[in-house]
PDB file of all heavy atoms in Angstrom:
ATOM      1  N   ILE A   1       0.851  -1.275   0.030  1.00 95.00           N
ATOM      2  CA  ILE A   1       0.008  -0.063   0.059  1.00 95.00           C
ATOM      3  C   ILE A   1       0.820   1.268   0.030  1.00 95.00           C
ATOM      4  O   ILE A   1       0.642   2.199  -0.742  1.00 95.00           O
ATOM      5  CB  ILE A   1      -0.954  -0.015   1.228  1.00 95.00           C
ATOM      6  CG1 ILE A   1      -1.888  -1.183   1.100  1.00 95.00           C
ATOM      7  CG2 ILE A   1      -1.639   1.276   1.285  1.00 95.00           C
ATOM      8  CD1 ILE A   1      -2.801  -1.372   2.406  1.00 95.00           C
ATOM      9  N   LYS A   2       1.865   1.317   0.898  1.00 97.00           N
ATOM     10  CA  LYS A   2       2.764   2.501   0.969  1.00 97.00           C
ATOM     11  C   LYS A   2       3.420   2.788  -0.439  1.00 97.00           C
ATOM     12  O   LYS A   2       3.608   3.941  -0.791  1.00 97.00           O
ATOM     13  CB  LYS A   2       3.811   2.249   1.996  1.00 97.00           C
ATOM     14  CG  LYS A   2       3.271   2.117   3.508  1.00 97.00           C
ATOM     15  CD  LYS A   2       4.299   1.977   4.459  1.00 97.00           C
ATOM     16  CE  LYS A   2       3.898   1.855   5.889  1.00 97.00           C
ATOM     17  NZ  LYS A   2       3.215   3.007   6.380  1.00 97.00           N
ATOM     18  N   THR A   3       3.888   1.784  -1.124  1.00 98.00           N
ATOM     19  CA  THR A   3       4.568   1.956  -2.288  1.00 98.00           C
ATOM     20  C   THR A   3       3.629   2.600  -3.394  1.00 98.00           C
ATOM     21  O   THR A   3       4.022   3.415  -4.209  1.00 98.00           O
ATOM     22  CB  THR A   3       5.046   0.599  -2.940  1.00 98.00           C
ATOM     23  OG1 THR A   3       5.957  -0.010  -1.869  1.00 98.00           O
ATOM     24  CG2 THR A   3       5.828   0.867  -4.167  1.00 98.00           C
ATOM     25  N   GLU A   4       2.331   2.281  -3.269  1.00 97.00           N
ATOM     26  CA  GLU A   4       1.389   2.812  -4.313  1.00 97.00           C
ATOM     27  C   GLU A   4       1.263   4.379  -4.103  1.00 97.00           C
ATOM     28  O   GLU A   4       1.300   5.105  -5.009  1.00 97.00           O
ATOM     29  CB  GLU A   4      -0.018   2.184  -4.024  1.00 97.00           C
ATOM     30  CG  GLU A   4      -1.006   2.668  -5.000  1.00 97.00           C
ATOM     31  CD  GLU A   4      -2.379   1.986  -4.776  1.00 97.00           C
ATOM     32  OE1 GLU A   4      -2.530   1.180  -3.842  1.00 97.00           O
ATOM     33  OE2 GLU A   4      -3.314   2.235  -5.530  1.00 97.00           O
ATOM     34  N   PHE A   5       1.381   4.791  -2.854  1.00 98.00           N
ATOM     35  CA  PHE A   5       1.275   6.216  -2.543  1.00 98.00           C
ATOM     36  C   PHE A   5       2.602   6.880  -3.026  1.00 98.00           C
ATOM     37  O   PHE A   5       2.649   8.032  -3.512  1.00 98.00           O
ATOM     38  CB  PHE A   5       0.956   6.502  -1.129  1.00 98.00           C
ATOM     39  CG  PHE A   5      -0.314   6.123  -0.679  1.00 98.00           C
ATOM     40  CD1 PHE A   5      -0.611   5.415   0.522  1.00 98.00           C
ATOM     41  CD2 PHE A   5      -1.490   6.325  -1.506  1.00 98.00           C
ATOM     42  CE1 PHE A   5      -1.889   5.111   0.941  1.00 98.00           C
ATOM     43  CE2 PHE A   5      -2.774   6.019  -1.161  1.00 98.00           C
ATOM     44  CZ  PHE A   5      -2.941   5.338   0.025  1.00 98.00           C
ATOM     45  N   LEU A   6       3.722   6.244  -2.725  1.00 98.00           N
ATOM     46  CA  LEU A   6       4.983   6.764  -3.157  1.00 98.00           C
ATOM     47  C   LEU A   6       5.097   6.901  -4.621  1.00 98.00           C
ATOM     48  O   LEU A   6       5.704   7.881  -5.152  1.00 98.00           O
ATOM     49  CB  LEU A   6       6.197   5.872  -2.626  1.00 98.00           C
ATOM     50  CG  LEU A   6       6.401   5.751  -1.059  1.00 98.00           C
ATOM     51  CD1 LEU A   6       7.487   4.864  -0.762  1.00 98.00           C
ATOM     52  CD2 LEU A   6       6.758   7.261  -0.471  1.00 98.00           C
ATOM     53  N   ILE A   7       4.503   5.932  -5.416  1.00 98.00           N
ATOM     54  CA  ILE A   7       4.547   6.074  -6.808  1.00 98.00           C
ATOM     55  C   ILE A   7       3.747   7.303  -7.246  1.00 98.00           C
ATOM     56  O   ILE A   7       4.257   7.937  -8.211  1.00 98.00           O
ATOM     57  CB  ILE A   7       3.806   4.796  -7.429  1.00 98.00           C
ATOM     58  CG1 ILE A   7       4.710   3.557  -7.274  1.00 98.00           C
ATOM     59  CG2 ILE A   7       3.281   5.041  -8.835  1.00 98.00           C
ATOM     60  CD1 ILE A   7       3.980   2.262  -7.621  1.00 98.00           C
ATOM     61  N   VAL A   8       2.753   7.609  -6.658  1.00 98.00           N
ATOM     62  CA  VAL A   8       2.002   8.848  -7.006  1.00 98.00           C
ATOM     63  C   VAL A   8       2.875  10.119  -6.889  1.00 98.00           C
ATOM     64  O   VAL A   8       2.874  11.013  -7.728  1.00 98.00           O
ATOM     65  CB  VAL A   8       0.562   8.918  -6.175  1.00 98.00           C
ATOM     66  CG1 VAL A   8      -0.064  10.376  -6.493  1.00 98.00           C
ATOM     67  CG2 VAL A   8      -0.285   7.832  -6.515  1.00 98.00           C
ATOM     68  N   LEU A   9       3.573  10.075  -5.751  1.00 98.00           N
ATOM     69  CA  LEU A   9       4.356  11.298  -5.507  1.00 98.00           C
ATOM     70  C   LEU A   9       5.610  11.366  -6.393  1.00 98.00           C
ATOM     71  O   LEU A   9       5.820  12.473  -6.923  1.00 98.00           O
ATOM     72  CB  LEU A   9       4.868  11.301  -4.083  1.00 98.00           C
ATOM     73  CG  LEU A   9       3.877  11.175  -2.958  1.00 98.00           C
ATOM     74  CD1 LEU A   9       4.484  11.148  -1.593  1.00 98.00           C
ATOM     75  CD2 LEU A   9       2.928  12.371  -2.978  1.00 98.00           C
ATOM     76  N   LEU A  10       6.202  10.313  -6.804  1.00 98.00           N
ATOM     77  CA  LEU A  10       7.255  10.249  -7.695  1.00 98.00           C
ATOM     78  C   LEU A  10       6.805  10.698  -9.089  1.00 98.00           C
ATOM     79  O   LEU A  10       7.377  11.345  -9.834  1.00 98.00           O
ATOM     80  CB  LEU A  10       7.885   8.822  -7.787  1.00 98.00           C
ATOM     81  CG  LEU A  10       9.034   8.744  -8.774  1.00 98.00           C
ATOM     82  CD1 LEU A  10      10.231   9.614  -8.318  1.00 98.00           C
ATOM     83  CD2 LEU A  10       9.562   7.285  -8.857  1.00 98.00           C
ATOM     84  N   ARG A  11       5.666  10.093  -9.570  1.00 98.00           N
ATOM     85  CA  ARG A  11       5.132  10.463 -10.866  1.00 98.00           C
ATOM     86  C   ARG A  11       4.912  11.949 -10.942  1.00 98.00           C
ATOM     87  O   ARG A  11       5.245  12.526 -12.067  1.00 98.00           O
ATOM     88  CB  ARG A  11       3.751   9.676 -11.074  1.00 98.00           C
ATOM     89  CG  ARG A  11       3.937   8.260 -11.311  1.00 98.00           C
ATOM     90  CD  ARG A  11       2.563   7.529 -11.412  1.00 98.00           C
ATOM     91  NE  ARG A  11       1.877   7.988 -12.670  1.00 98.00           N
ATOM     92  CZ  ARG A  11       1.844   7.326 -13.790  1.00 98.00           C
ATOM     93  NH1 ARG A  11       2.479   6.141 -13.893  1.00 98.00           N
ATOM     94  NH2 ARG A  11       1.057   7.702 -14.758  1.00 98.00           N
ATOM     95  N   LEU A  12       4.355  12.600  -9.925  1.00 98.00           N
ATOM     96  CA  LEU A  12       4.060  14.013  -9.956  1.00 98.00           C
ATOM     97  C   LEU A  12       5.304  14.778 -10.010  1.00 98.00           C
ATOM     98  O   LEU A  12       5.358  15.702 -10.781  1.00 98.00           O
ATOM     99  CB  LEU A  12       3.161  14.334  -8.734  1.00 98.00           C
ATOM    100  CG  LEU A  12       2.519  15.732  -8.779  1.00 98.00           C
ATOM    101  CD1 LEU A  12       1.661  15.955  -9.951  1.00 98.00           C
ATOM    102  CD2 LEU A  12       1.828  16.031  -7.503  1.00 98.00           C
ATOM    103  N   ALA A  13       6.352  14.371  -9.252  1.00 97.00           N
ATOM    104  CA  ALA A  13       7.560  15.132  -9.297  1.00 97.00           C
ATOM    105  C   ALA A  13       8.218  15.044 -10.627  1.00 97.00           C
ATOM    106  O   ALA A  13       8.734  15.972 -11.118  1.00 97.00           O
ATOM    107  CB  ALA A  13       8.549  14.511  -8.248  1.00 97.00           C
ATOM    108  N   VAL A  14       8.217  13.820 -11.259  1.00 97.00           N
ATOM    109  CA  VAL A  14       8.833  13.643 -12.591  1.00 97.00           C
ATOM    110  C   VAL A  14       8.110  14.457 -13.605  1.00 97.00           C
ATOM    111  O   VAL A  14       8.806  15.122 -14.513  1.00 97.00           O
ATOM    112  CB  VAL A  14       8.820  12.110 -12.977  1.00 97.00           C
ATOM    113  CG1 VAL A  14       9.250  12.009 -14.523  1.00 97.00           C
ATOM    114  CG2 VAL A  14       9.717  11.369 -12.067  1.00 97.00           C
ATOM    115  N   LEU A  15       6.831  14.486 -13.568  1.00 97.00           N
ATOM    116  CA  LEU A  15       6.036  15.231 -14.464  1.00 97.00           C
ATOM    117  C   LEU A  15       6.370  16.782 -14.442  1.00 97.00           C
ATOM    118  O   LEU A  15       6.451  17.335 -15.452  1.00 97.00           O
ATOM    119  CB  LEU A  15       4.507  14.989 -14.278  1.00 97.00           C
ATOM    120  CG  LEU A  15       3.505  15.624 -15.033  1.00 97.00           C
ATOM    121  CD1 LEU A  15       2.171  14.809 -14.981  1.00 97.00           C
ATOM    122  CD2 LEU A  15       3.132  17.064 -14.680  1.00 97.00           C
ATOM    123  N   LEU A  16       6.541  17.304 -13.235  1.00 96.00           N
ATOM    124  CA  LEU A  16       6.758  18.740 -13.078  1.00 96.00           C
ATOM    125  C   LEU A  16       8.159  19.151 -13.537  1.00 96.00           C
ATOM    126  O   LEU A  16       8.433  20.330 -13.890  1.00 96.00           O
ATOM    127  CB  LEU A  16       6.562  19.158 -11.714  1.00 96.00           C
ATOM    128  CG  LEU A  16       5.045  19.038 -11.168  1.00 96.00           C
ATOM    129  CD1 LEU A  16       5.063  19.523  -9.610  1.00 96.00           C
ATOM    130  CD2 LEU A  16       4.216  19.949 -11.910  1.00 96.00           C
ATOM    131  N   HIS A  17       9.110  18.038 -13.616  1.00 96.00           N
ATOM    132  CA  HIS A  17      10.469  18.355 -14.099  1.00 96.00           C
ATOM    133  C   HIS A  17      10.719  17.888 -15.543  1.00 96.00           C
ATOM    134  O   HIS A  17      11.839  17.669 -15.814  1.00 96.00           O
ATOM    135  CB  HIS A  17      11.405  17.902 -13.159  1.00 96.00           C
ATOM    136  CG  HIS A  17      11.420  18.590 -11.810  1.00 96.00           C
ATOM    137  ND1 HIS A  17      12.084  19.806 -11.685  1.00 96.00           N
ATOM    138  CD2 HIS A  17      10.825  18.347 -10.609  1.00 96.00           C
ATOM    139  CE1 HIS A  17      11.991  20.174 -10.385  1.00 96.00           C
ATOM    140  NE2 HIS A  17      11.180  19.383  -9.701  1.00 96.00           N
ATOM    141  N   ARG A  18       9.601  17.674 -16.286  1.00 94.00           N
ATOM    142  CA  ARG A  18       9.838  17.134 -17.537  1.00 94.00           C
ATOM    143  C   ARG A  18      10.703  18.051 -18.502  1.00 94.00           C
ATOM    144  O   ARG A  18      11.391  17.480 -19.323  1.00 94.00           O
ATOM    145  CB  ARG A  18       8.401  16.930 -18.218  1.00 94.00           C
ATOM    146  CG  ARG A  18       8.440  16.374 -19.659  1.00 94.00           C
ATOM    147  CD  ARG A  18       7.105  16.180 -20.238  1.00 94.00           C
ATOM    148  NE  ARG A  18       7.163  15.737 -21.678  1.00 94.00           N
ATOM    149  CZ  ARG A  18       6.138  15.444 -22.398  1.00 94.00           C
ATOM    150  NH1 ARG A  18       4.867  15.678 -21.833  1.00 94.00           N
ATOM    151  NH2 ARG A  18       6.240  15.022 -23.550  1.00 94.00           N
ATOM    152  N   GLY A  19      10.569  19.312 -18.362  1.00 93.00           N
ATOM    153  CA  GLY A  19      11.321  20.233 -19.171  1.00 93.00           C
ATOM    154  C   GLY A  19      12.805  20.360 -18.783  1.00 93.00           C
ATOM    155  O   GLY A  19      13.557  20.913 -19.483  1.00 93.00           O
ATOM    156  N   ARG A  20      13.135  19.622 -17.663  1.00 93.00           N
ATOM    157  CA  ARG A  20      14.585  19.594 -17.266  1.00 93.00           C
ATOM    158  C   ARG A  20      15.173  21.007 -17.095  1.00 93.00           C
ATOM    159  O   ARG A  20      16.455  21.164 -17.288  1.00 93.00           O
ATOM    160  CB  ARG A  20      15.393  18.738 -18.217  1.00 93.00           C
ATOM    161  CG  ARG A  20      14.738  17.515 -18.626  1.00 93.00           C
ATOM    162  CD  ARG A  20      15.763  16.640 -19.637  1.00 93.00           C
ATOM    163  NE  ARG A  20      16.777  15.910 -18.823  1.00 93.00           N
ATOM    164  CZ  ARG A  20      16.636  14.768 -18.247  1.00 93.00           C
ATOM    165  NH1 ARG A  20      15.455  14.185 -18.385  1.00 93.00           N
ATOM    166  NH2 ARG A  20      17.570  14.185 -17.595  1.00 93.00           N
ATOM    167  N   SER A  21      14.386  21.915 -16.684  1.00 90.00           N
ATOM    168  CA  SER A  21      14.897  23.272 -16.512  1.00 90.00           C
ATOM    169  C   SER A  21      15.505  23.492 -15.172  1.00 90.00           C
ATOM    170  O   SER A  21      15.060  23.067 -14.214  1.00 90.00           O
ATOM    171  CB  SER A  21      13.665  24.230 -16.765  1.00 90.00           C
ATOM    172  OG  SER A  21      14.024  25.621 -16.397  1.00 90.00           O
ATOM    173  N   ALA A  22      16.535  24.372 -15.214  1.00 89.00           N
ATOM    174  CA  ALA A  22      17.175  24.738 -13.961  1.00 89.00           C
ATOM    175  C   ALA A  22      16.331  25.860 -13.189  1.00 89.00           C
ATOM    176  O   ALA A  22      16.715  26.109 -12.068  1.00 89.00           O
ATOM    177  CB  ALA A  22      18.583  25.203 -14.246  1.00 89.00           C
ATOM    178  N   ALA A  23      15.417  26.442 -13.825  1.00 87.00           N
ATOM    179  CA  ALA A  23      14.626  27.451 -13.271  1.00 87.00           C
ATOM    180  C   ALA A  23      13.931  26.995 -12.001  1.00 87.00           C
ATOM    181  O   ALA A  23      13.427  25.903 -11.976  1.00 87.00           O
ATOM    182  CB  ALA A  23      13.699  28.115 -14.303  1.00 87.00           C
ATOM    183  N   ALA A  24      13.783  27.767 -11.035  1.00 82.00           N
ATOM    184  CA  ALA A  24      13.021  27.408  -9.840  1.00 82.00           C
ATOM    185  C   ALA A  24      11.648  26.994 -10.136  1.00 82.00           C
ATOM    186  O   ALA A  24      10.887  27.756 -10.894  1.00 82.00           O
ATOM    187  CB  ALA A  24      13.146  28.508  -8.737  1.00 82.00           C
ATOM    188  N   GLN A  25      11.035  25.952  -9.590  1.00 82.00           N
ATOM    189  CA  GLN A  25       9.768  25.614  -9.767  1.00 82.00           C
ATOM    190  C   GLN A  25       8.791  26.333  -8.801  1.00 82.00           C
ATOM    191  O   GLN A  25       9.233  26.768  -7.728  1.00 82.00           O
ATOM    192  CB  GLN A  25       9.520  24.151  -9.449  1.00 82.00           C
ATOM    193  CG  GLN A  25      10.162  23.176 -10.510  1.00 82.00           C
ATOM    194  CD  GLN A  25       9.466  23.205 -11.834  1.00 82.00           C
ATOM    195  OE1 GLN A  25       8.236  23.202 -11.818  1.00 82.00           O
ATOM    196  NE2 GLN A  25      10.206  23.283 -12.951  1.00 82.00           N
ATOM    197  N   PRO A  26       7.554  26.598  -9.171  1.00 82.00           N
ATOM    198  CA  PRO A  26       6.702  27.182  -8.230  1.00 82.00           C
ATOM    199  C   PRO A  26       6.308  26.391  -7.031  1.00 82.00           C
ATOM    200  O   PRO A  26       6.532  25.135  -7.033  1.00 82.00           O
ATOM    201  CB  PRO A  26       5.363  27.480  -9.089  1.00 82.00           C
ATOM    202  CG  PRO A  26       5.452  26.270 -10.002  1.00 82.00           C
ATOM    203  CD  PRO A  26       6.829  26.068 -10.326  1.00 82.00           C
ATOM    204  N   ARG A  27       5.901  27.028  -5.945  1.00 87.00           N
ATOM    205  CA  ARG A  27       5.510  26.157  -4.752  1.00 87.00           C
ATOM    206  C   ARG A  27       4.218  25.468  -5.164  1.00 87.00           C
ATOM    207  O   ARG A  27       3.236  26.129  -5.544  1.00 87.00           O
ATOM    208  CB  ARG A  27       5.229  27.199  -3.617  1.00 87.00           C
ATOM    209  CG  ARG A  27       4.628  26.599  -2.353  1.00 87.00           C
ATOM    210  CD  ARG A  27       5.577  25.668  -1.754  1.00 87.00           C
ATOM    211  NE  ARG A  27       4.945  25.054  -0.566  1.00 87.00           N
ATOM    212  CZ  ARG A  27       5.421  24.034   0.129  1.00 87.00           C
ATOM    213  NH1 ARG A  27       6.451  23.418  -0.302  1.00 87.00           N
ATOM    214  NH2 ARG A  27       4.827  23.461   1.216  1.00 87.00           N
TER     215      ARG A  27
END
């Protein structure tokens, strides 16, 4: 169960950094 939730967090983090930009991300 815990790994399922960790997957969601990792997916979202990867998605937000898809552009591989060094610019700061919004909060």
Side-chain angles (χ1 to χ4, degrees):
I1 295 174
K2 293 179 182 293
T3 302
E4 185 176 5
F5 293 138
L6 292 176
I7 285 171
V8 174
L9 301 180
L10 179 61
R11 288 174 67 95
L12 190 58
V14 171
L15 185 154
L16 292 178
H17 289 281
R18 179 179 178 181
R20 314 181 79 86
S21 172
Q25 291 290 317
R27 171 66 178 172

